Amino acid sequence: MQTTKALIMSLVLIHSCARGLIRPVSASLLSRPESPSKQPSYSSSPLQVARWEFQTSVISRDTDAATRFIGAGAATVSVAGSGAGIGTVFGSLTIGYARNPSLKQHFFSYAILGSALSEAMGLFGLIVAFLIFFTA
């Protein structure tokens, strides 16, 4: 009697867990519970047709967030380039002024223009980084 009861319990357990054993563990844990009202009935066909729906899983959302972080970080590199550009502009201003002090005003106007353009490129890169990071 005891072995029959254990056999029945093991068969019930196998039957109830069969779907969980067939699917991968990640798919079993991360998928949403299925509602029977959304399932179409295929009564005309003797074989049951498998239907795969597109759904965003937790792993997919994590991947999207990771790519967003990588893209925003790559766009932020332009701010470092802007700093290097401004340093180069004012370094060249110093060298030019040391070689020819009479052109101080002429060199300074070009240095301001170069630093403004370099800073604008850095700000554009920062704006792109914020757009990547904060948009859906």
Side-chain angles (χ1 to χ4, degrees):
M1 185 71 167
Q2 194 71 343
T3 58
T4 309
K5 192 175 192 182
L7 181 63
I8 290 173
M9 289 299 288
S10 64
L11 289 175
V12 169
L13 183 62
I14 289 173
H15 179 60
S16 65
C17 295
R19 184 168 185 196
L21 292 174
I22 293 171
R23 296 175 67 193
V25 176
S26 61
S28 299
L29 294 175
L30 300 177
S31 65
R32 289 186 248 160
E34 299 172 358
S35 62
S37 62
K38 290 185 179 179
Q39 297 285 338
S41 63
Y42 297 105
S43 57
S44 62
S45 173
L47 297 174
Q48 190 175 18
V49 178
R51 190 178 87 164
W52 293 90
E53 293 182 11
F54 178 76
Q55 59 184 349
T56 305
S57 65
V58 176
I59 295 172
S60 175
R61 281 179 269 165
D62 286 345
T63 305
D64 292 343
T67 54
R68 190 177 304 141
F69 289 141
I70 292 169
T76 308
V77 172
S78 66
V79 177
S82 172
I86 292 172
T88 302
V89 165
F90 284 105
S92 298
L93 171 70
T94 305
I95 292 171
Y97 179 66
R99 289 185 180 186
N100 195 353
S102 64
L103 295 175
K104 177 182 177 183
Q105 190 61 34
H106 187 71
F107 288 151
F108 187 73
S109 63
Y110 282 131
I112 293 297
L113 180 65
S115 67
L117 292 175
S118 181
E119 186 71 27
M121 287 293 114
L123 289 176
F124 289 148
L126 195 62
I127 288 170
V128 168
F130 283 142
L131 285 175
I132 291 171
F133 189 68
F134 289 113
T135 56

